[in-house]
């Protein structure tokens, strides 16, 4: 570059530098768009207002919770004092009269069941325990031969069973701690029908969910060991569409209900599920006689209608007689076929 052009170039550079500095100053004087200066949206503003209101009303909410707890406590106390509703499901424990009757679920059939049936047995035992805790006359509840798959399933799925109250859970067989003369095995295969419950006895329910694969097993075991056996008087009071074999919890609940009402029929109809199609035996007899009477009436109406038809046919013209004779012979042939 020539010496003549050099001063002009330097001056141009100085001018550009001054312009850059002035631009930097202007930029620095502009308001920053940092976090503290960033504009707030309406949604964020609403959230902040709600949060502020929530903080301000904290004490008020606390006071309301206290009042609600006091109100519920007062309601419970009034309910306990009144206790006027006899149909109330939660019964007062102070009115409970414990029965001396021993009710045993025999769990010695563990090896005969698959895991699916073991789980069903566990659920039925849970139901028995819950019903006995709620009953007005709870029995002395025993769970014997407890171990194997059943205990493992209870340990895995119901760890609270170790804290159950009013139940005796034993790994021993019931014969080891109950006298033989006190035992009565409840089985639907027994020819003996139970008329009433003896509260000095120990009644055994077979803890077997087998879908009738081992029919007569509990009856055979009771007979082999010389243990008294009986079946509930189901046939004397109830007629069912299905077989008479009941679930463990149903037998347990029927006994609890009988101890309260001393009425077998009421106990059966209170406990048995609707799917069993249970009807009272007297009603079943009435229904059967009514069906027979209806059939007889229908038969008489059919015979009357056929006589009317024959009398009308006699008034027909002579050329119809041959045709009518054929029809009558065909009809008599059809009617002679047994139905």
């Amino acid at each position: 570059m020539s010496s003549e052009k050099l001063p002009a170039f330097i001056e141009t550079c100085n001018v550009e530098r001054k312009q850059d500095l002035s631009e930097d100053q202007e930029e620095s004087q502009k308001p920053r768009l940092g976090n503290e200066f960033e504009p707030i949206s309406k949604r964020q503003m609403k959230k902040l207002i709600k949060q502020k209101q929530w903080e301000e009303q904290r004490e008020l909410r606390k006071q309301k919770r206290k009042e609600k707890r006091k109100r519920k406590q007062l309601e419970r106390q009034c309910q306990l004092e009144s206790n006027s509703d006899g149909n109330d499901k939660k019964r007062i424990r102070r009115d409970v009269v414990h029965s001396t009757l021993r009710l045993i679920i025999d769990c010695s059939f563990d090896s005969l069941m698959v895991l699916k049936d073991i789980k069903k047995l566990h659920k039925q035992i849970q139901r028995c325990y819950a019903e006995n805790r709620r009953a007005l006359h709870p029995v002395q509840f025993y769970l014997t031969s407890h171990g194997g798959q059943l205990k493992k399933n209870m340990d895995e799925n119901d760890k609270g069973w170790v804290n159950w109250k009013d139940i005796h859970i034993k790994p021993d067989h019931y014969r080891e701690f109950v006298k033989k003369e006190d035992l009565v095995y409840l089985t639907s295969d027994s020819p003996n029908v139970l008329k009433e419950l003896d509260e000095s006895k120990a009644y055994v329910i077979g803890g077997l969910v087998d879908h009738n694969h081992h029919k007569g097993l509990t009856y055979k075991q009771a007979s082999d060991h010389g243990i008294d056996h009986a079946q509930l008087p189901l046939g004397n009071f109830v007629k069912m569409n299905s077989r008479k074999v009941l679930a463990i919890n149903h037998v347990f609940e029927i006994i609890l209900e009988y101890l309260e009402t001393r009425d077998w029929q009421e106990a059966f109809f209170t406990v048995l599920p609707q799917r069993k199609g249970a009807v009272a035996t007297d009603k079943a007899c009435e229904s059967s006689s009514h069906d027979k009477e209806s059939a007889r009436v229908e038969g008489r109406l059919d015979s009357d209608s056929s006589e009317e038809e024959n009398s009308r046919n006699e008034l027909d013209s002579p050329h119809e007689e041959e045709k009518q004779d054929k029809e009558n012979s065909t009809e008599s042939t059809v009617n002679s076929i047994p139905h």
Side-chain angles (χ1 to χ4, degrees), residues 241-288:
N241 295 333
S242 60
R243 58 197 179 101
K244 291 194 297 181
V245 180
L246 303 177
I248 296 164
N249 58 293
H250 290 156
V251 177
F252 197 102
E253 290 172 46
I254 286 168
I255 290 175
L256 289 177
E257 193 67 28
Y258 177 79
L259 288 173
E260 184 175 340
T261 62
R262 297 291 171 176
D263 185 330
W264 281 118
Q265 187 164 353
E266 185 177 344
F268 289 135
F269 282 98
T270 302
V271 174
L272 290 178
Q274 291 183 354
R275 59 184 169 79
K276 290 282 187 181
V279 293
T281 50
D282 51 353
K283 290 183 180 178
C285 294
E286 288 175 8
S287 175
S288 177

Side-chain angles (χ1 to χ4, degrees), residues 138-149:
V139 296
Q140 307 299 315
F141 186 14
Y142 286 82
L143 204 63
T144 63
S145 301
H146 184 251
Q149 296 182 88

Side-chain angles (χ1 to χ4, degrees), residues 4 130-131 158 166 203 220 235 279 289:
E4 294 178 357
E131 291 298 326
D158 185 17
D166 301 326
Y203 293 90
K220 184 177 182 302
V279 293
S289 61

Side-chain angles (χ1 to χ4, degrees), residues 112-152:
L112 299 177
M113 290 181 284
V114 296
L115 182 59
K116 180 181 176 182
D117 294 333
I118 290 288
K119 290 181 176 180
K120 288 180 180 179
L121 173 61
H122 178 203
K123 287 183 179 179
Q124 292 181 21
I125 290 171
Q126 285 178 317
R127 182 68 181 267
C128 294
Y129 172 73
E131 291 298 326
N132 196 49
R133 291 280 291 168
R134 279 199 293 262
L136 283 176
H137 299 288
V139 296
Q140 307 299 315
F141 186 14
Y142 286 82
L143 204 63
T144 63
S145 301
H146 184 251
Q149 296 182 88
L150 177 62
K151 184 178 183 299
K152 184 180 178 182

Side-chain angles (χ1 to χ4, degrees), residues 19 26 60 82 84-85 95 101 116 126 149 156 171 182 186 207 215 261 312 337:
Q19 289 177 352
E26 289 177 1
L60 180 62
S82 62
S84 58
D85 187 3
D95 294 334
L101 183 145
K116 180 181 176 182
Q126 285 178 317
Q149 296 182 88
E156 291 175 354
D182 291 345
L186 298 175
K215 188 175 181 180
T261 62
R312 282 199 305 271
I337 298 173

Side-chain angles (χ1 to χ4, degrees), residues 1 25 41 61 121 136 145 149 187 190 228 234 239-240 250 255 294 316-317 330 336:
M1 185 179 293
Q25 289 176 356
S41 66
R61 290 195 306 276
L121 173 61
L136 283 176
S145 301
Q149 296 182 88
T187 168
S190 173
D228 290 340
L234 193 63
K239 183 178 180 181
M240 296 195 302
H250 290 156
I255 290 175
S294 299
D316 288 341
S317 56
T330 305
S336 64

Side-chain angles (χ1 to χ4, degrees), residues 57-289:
Q57 295 175 359
R58 179 176 292 177
E59 290 298 324
L60 180 62
R61 290 195 306 276
K62 190 176 179 181
Q63 185 65 27
K64 284 184 177 180
R65 284 197 298 270
K66 283 184 180 179
E67 292 175 359
K68 188 177 180 180
R69 281 197 297 269
K70 286 181 180 179
R71 188 170 61 252
K72 284 189 174 181
Q73 188 176 1
L74 185 63
E75 287 175 358
R76 283 196 298 269
Q77 188 175 356
C78 292
Q79 188 176 1
L80 290 173
E81 289 175 356
S82 62
N83 190 27
S84 58
D85 187 3
N87 296 324
D88 196 7
K89 208 166 186 179
K90 292 185 178 178
R91 291 162 176 155
I92 310 304
R93 295 299 293 178
R94 68 168 180 264
D95 294 334
V96 168
V97 178
H98 289 268
S99 172
T100 56
L101 183 145
R102 289 161 288 175
L103 200 51
I104 301 168
I105 295 182
D106 175 19
C107 302
S108 61
F109 308 99
D110 193 87
S111 60
L112 299 177
M113 290 181 284
V114 296
L115 182 59
K116 180 181 176 182
D117 294 333
I118 290 288
K119 290 181 176 180
K120 288 180 180 179
L121 173 61
H122 178 203
K123 287 183 179 179
Q124 292 181 21
I125 290 171
Q126 285 178 317
R127 182 68 181 267
C128 294
Y129 172 73
E131 291 298 326
N132 196 49
R133 291 280 291 168
R134 279 199 293 262
L136 283 176
H137 299 288
V139 296
Q140 307 299 315
F141 186 14
Y142 286 82
L143 204 63
T144 63
S145 301
H146 184 251
Q149 296 182 88
L150 177 62
K151 184 178 183 299
K152 184 180 178 182
N153 186 71
M154 291 174 71
D155 288 336
E156 291 175 354
N157 302 309
D158 185 17
K159 295 179 181 178
W161 72 267
V162 295
N163 299 320
W164 283 1
K165 299 176 182 178
D166 301 326
I167 184 172
H168 309 279
I169 301 177
K170 296 179 177 292
D172 307 321
H173 197 275
Y174 60 86
R175 294 199 311 272
E176 296 182 19
F177 56 88
V178 182
K179 295 178 182 178
K180 185 186 289 187
E181 56 268 23
D182 291 345
L183 289 168
V184 179
Y185 213 114
L186 298 175
T187 168
S188 61
D189 299 305
S190 173
N192 306 322
V193 179
L194 200 65
K195 293 182 179 179
E196 59 182 17
L197 293 175
D198 184 351
E199 296 198 38
S200 65
K201 297 288 187 181
Y203 293 90
V204 185
I205 304 172
L208 177 61
V209 180
D210 67 332
H211 308 286
N212 221 21
H213 295 154
H214 302 281
K215 188 175 181 180
L217 179 61
T218 54
Y219 170 62
K220 184 177 182 302
Q221 283 198 0
S223 300
D224 291 345
H225 291 101
I227 297 171
D228 290 340
H229 45 78
Q231 61 169 293
L232 296 179
L234 193 63
N236 296 347
F237 299 94
V238 179
K239 183 178 180 181
M240 296 195 302
N241 295 333
S242 60
R243 58 197 179 101
K244 291 194 297 181
V245 180
L246 303 177
I248 296 164
N249 58 293
H250 290 156
V251 177
F252 197 102
E253 290 172 46
I254 286 168
I255 290 175
L256 289 177
E257 193 67 28
Y258 177 79
L259 288 173
E260 184 175 340
T261 62
R262 297 291 171 176
D263 185 330
W264 281 118
Q265 187 164 353
E266 185 177 344
F268 289 135
F269 282 98
T270 302
V271 174
L272 290 178
Q274 291 183 354
R275 59 184 169 79
K276 290 282 187 181
V279 293
T281 50
D282 51 353
K283 290 183 180 178
C285 294
E286 288 175 8
S287 175
S288 177
S289 61

